[in-house]
């Protein structure tokens, strides 16, 4: 019997450990479909693909992977999958779907394969909203434990800030509850530290009484970009937290040769008040080429996003940064997102999500020569876990103090770094 036969026999024993989902090895029907992720460049060749259906399945998979000395990777929707699982076990949780709304407590509880579209539909029936992202197809759990920067963030904080409880399978195969009172250190780390500390099989988080918003887009001449971004520095510091905006330098739809400035808006309040607040910004940016801003259900507000080939965070936007971003916007899509508000001031007990001093993030969808060098002296040196594509930069997603604390939590709950095929945080060295 070969080593592979031994391994196949052991993996087949997942069923004896209580694994109820399908299991695929190379050559099996379903293997190629099961190993495929969202991004073509992440072409994993795992030894086995296991499709979990329950928390007990997740526990059985963790136990089997440890016993067979297999590295373990987890994938739900695949949006955060950036590390290949070659030679390991790929555990899929996309079949573990489901959402329950408690309208009295204003909370939702979801399973790890749940997408935001499911939560939006269920919550909106009660006039409630989650702190979701820009796409209904993104997985809730991965987005949230990675921080979660949504369009209600300035008003209510990161999605991670609204987590109230998690059920987690730990590195030693135990199913535990993490909240303010039980496994509090694990609970803290899960709220922004990613999938480093355990596999979340159930997540509970707050919902908010937001049913409709004033939202949409307006297109302006790109020639007004520098003045508009500069004006936004003072305007953005004065508008209420219910107002969220981003300035995007990009091509006009249907006319890739024509560059323009797009302003995205979401206001969680009355339309008349939103228009009054926006008027000074419009006077600097305008006249508008086109405008589509209206009252709509929050669940239908599709704000879109920009792929982050380059990311910098700024505590302020000095003129040299604006000049560099406007130049980059002639060749690439540049999205300048306004932070602040509740993102900066979440209250006591918040997790490690984000660099909370950030006033603006700048995302560029193309790597342009020299741009990073020109921006770096003015940036705060941080990044954001949900926006990262390079796992080597994981440490930059956290403040120095939070990264130190995360490594201590990692040492307590996963000292041999079993959960490492991710945006990895290594455990603290016990010698120090």
């Amino acid at each position: 019997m070969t080593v592979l036969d031994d391994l196949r026999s052991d993996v087949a024993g997942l069923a004896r450990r209580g694994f109820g989902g399908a299991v695929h090895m190379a050559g099996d029907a379903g293997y190629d479909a099961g190993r495929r992720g969202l991004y073509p460049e992440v072409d994993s060749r795992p030894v086995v693909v296991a499709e979990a259906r329950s928390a007990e399945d997740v526990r059985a998979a963790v136990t089997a992977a440890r016993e067979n000395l297999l590295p373990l990777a987890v994938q739900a929707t695949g949006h955060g999958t950036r590390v290949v699982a070659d030679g390991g076990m790929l555990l899929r949780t996309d079949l573990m779907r489901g959402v329950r709304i408690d309208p009295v407590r204003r909370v939702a509880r979801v399973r790890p394969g749940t997408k935001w579209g499911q939560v939006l539909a269920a919550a909106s029936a009660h006039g409630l909203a989650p702190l979701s992202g820009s796409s209904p197809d993104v997985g809730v759990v991965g987005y949230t434990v990675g921080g979660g920067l949504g369009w209600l963030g300035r008003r209510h904080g990161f999605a991670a800030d609204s987590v109230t409880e998690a059920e987690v399978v730990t590195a030693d195969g135990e199913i535990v509850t993490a909240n303010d009172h039980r496994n509090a250190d694990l609970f803290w780390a899960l709220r922004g530290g990613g999938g480093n500390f355990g596999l979340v099989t159930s997540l509970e988080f707050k919902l908010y009484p937001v049913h409709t918003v004033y939202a949409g887009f307006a297109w302006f001449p790109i020639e007004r970009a520098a003045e508009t971004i500069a004006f936004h520095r003072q305007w953005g510091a004065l508008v209420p937290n219910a107002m969220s905006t981003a300035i995007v330098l990009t091509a006009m739809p249907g006319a890739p040769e024509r560059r323009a400035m797009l302003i995205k808006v979401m206001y969680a309040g009355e339309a008349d008040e939103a228009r009054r607040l926006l008027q000074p910004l419009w006077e600097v940016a305008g006249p508008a080429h086109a405008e589509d801003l209206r009252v709509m259900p929050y669940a239908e507000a599709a704000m879109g996003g920009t792929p982050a080939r380059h990311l910098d965070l700024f505590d302020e936007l000095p003129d040299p940064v604006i000049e560099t971003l406007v130049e980059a916007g002639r060749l690439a899509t540049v999205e300048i997102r306004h932070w602040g508000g509740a993102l900066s001031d979440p209250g006591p007990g918040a997790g490690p999500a984000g660099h909370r001093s950030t006033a603006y993030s700048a995302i560029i969808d193309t790597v342009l020569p020299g741009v990073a060098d020109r921006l770096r002296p003015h940036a705060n040196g941080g990044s954001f876990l949900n926006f990262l594509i390079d796992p080597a930069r994981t440490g930059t997603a956290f403040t120095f103090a939070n990264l130190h604390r995360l490594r201590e939590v990692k040492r307590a709950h996963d000292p041999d770094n079993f959960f490492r095929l991710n945006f990895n945080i290594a455990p603290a060295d016990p010698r120090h």
Side-chain angles (χ1 to χ4, degrees):
M1 182 175 283
T2 67
V3 173
L4 185 58
D5 288 333
D6 283 337
L7 184 56
R8 186 179 291 274
S9 176
D10 286 339
V11 170
L14 273 169
R16 294 192 296 274
R17 297 183 181 93
F19 193 89
V23 179
H24 311 287
M25 298 189 71
D28 293 346
Y31 172 80
D32 282 332
R35 70 179 180 83
R36 194 166 296 123
L38 184 68
Y39 307 108
E41 64 270 23
V42 184
D43 186 24
S44 289
R45 301 280 175 170
V47 171
V48 58
V49 178
E51 299 179 356
R53 294 180 177 274
S54 67
E56 291 294 339
D57 283 356
V58 174
R59 173 159 62 179
V62 168
T63 301
R66 292 199 74 108
E67 289 180 356
N68 288 285
L69 303 180
L70 293 176
L72 178 71
V74 181
Q75 179 175 305
T77 63
H79 287 81
T81 305
R82 294 289 184 178
V83 181
V84 296
D86 292 352
M89 177 186 291
L90 177 61
L91 178 65
R92 298 201 60 127
T93 60
D94 49 313
L95 297 178
M96 296 175 63
R97 306 185 193 106
V99 54
R100 297 200 312 270
I101 305 295
D102 183 335
V104 176
R105 293 178 57 223
R106 291 181 178 171
V107 297
R109 182 173 286 272
V110 303
R111 304 178 78 212
T114 306
K115 297 180 181 180
W116 277 121
Q118 297 168 264
V119 181
L120 288 164
S124 63
H126 301 281
L128 299 172
L131 301 186
S132 53
S134 298
S135 170
D137 292 326
V138 170
V140 175
V141 170
Y143 169 90
T144 303
V145 300
L149 177 61
W151 281 85
L152 294 176
R154 280 179 35 81
R155 188 174 184 184
H156 296 296
F158 293 109
D161 295 336
S162 286
V163 173
T164 53
E165 186 171 277
E167 179 186 79
V168 184
V169 177
T170 63
D172 58 4
E174 295 296 319
I175 300 177
V176 303
T177 297
N179 55 35
D180 274 331
H181 309 291
R182 301 170 64 184
N183 298 296
D185 61 336
L186 179 61
F187 179 60
W188 176 84
L190 289 170
R191 289 177 291 152
N196 280 279
F197 309 95
L199 307 185
V200 175
T201 53
S202 175
L203 194 69
E204 183 185 90
F205 49 87
K206 297 176 187 176
L207 301 171
Y208 297 90
V210 178
H211 182 57
T212 60
V213 292
Y214 182 76
F217 312 96
W219 294 88
F220 295 93
I222 198 167
E223 292 77 16
R224 302 296 300 166
E227 292 86 349
T228 304
I229 299 167
F231 179 75
H232 196 291
R233 293 179 299 195
Q234 62 190 70
W235 178 87
L238 298 175
V239 295
N241 294 347
M243 176 68 77
S244 290
T245 52
I247 298 174
V248 186
L249 311 180
T250 189
M252 285 287 289
E257 74 288 349
R258 185 182 178 192
R259 309 299 292 179
M261 174 173 59
L262 168 68
I263 300 183
K264 301 180 181 181
V265 175
M266 182 180 288
Y267 184 67
E270 297 298 322
D272 288 346
E273 178 65 6
R275 287 189 285 267
R276 184 188 70 78
L277 291 167
L278 290 168
Q279 184 58 35
L281 188 64
W282 264 222
E283 290 174 358
V284 177
H289 293 314
E291 187 172 322
D292 183 15
L293 287 146
R294 54 193 169 85
V295 176
M296 65 182 74
Y298 172 74
E300 296 178 11
M303 303 303 292
T306 300
R309 299 297 298 176
H310 176 87
L311 166 70
D312 273 313
L313 307 182
F314 300 92
D315 294 346
E316 55 185 18
L317 278 183
D319 290 344
V321 168
I322 295 175
E323 179 183 344
T324 301
L325 293 175
V326 170
E327 288 182 13
R330 298 192 182 106
L331 301 170
T333 295
V334 176
E335 178 160 338
I336 303 159
R337 178 87 172 261
H338 187 208
W339 289 37
L343 299 168
S344 300
D345 186 18
H355 287 264
R356 297 184 185 273
S357 64
T358 297
Y360 292 91
S361 59
I363 287 175
I364 306 175
D365 73 344
T366 305
V367 176
L368 299 173
V371 169
D373 292 336
R374 291 173 63 184
L375 294 176
R376 187 177 301 112
H378 307 284
N380 64 22
S383 63
F384 187 62
L385 205 60
N386 288 148
F387 294 166
L388 280 180
I389 61 173
D390 181 4
R393 293 194 64 202
T394 299
T396 65
F398 309 101
T399 65
F400 179 83
N402 282 343
L403 181 59
H404 175 78
R405 185 176 173 186
L406 285 165
R407 294 188 66 205
E408 292 293 342
V409 177
K410 179 76 168 182
R411 180 172 69 175
H413 291 275
D414 184 13
D416 56 356
N417 205 11
F418 176 66
F419 299 127
R420 63 184 179 275
L421 297 184
N422 49 31
F423 288 95
N424 191 238
I425 297 170
D429 190 333
R431 297 171 296 181
H432 297 94

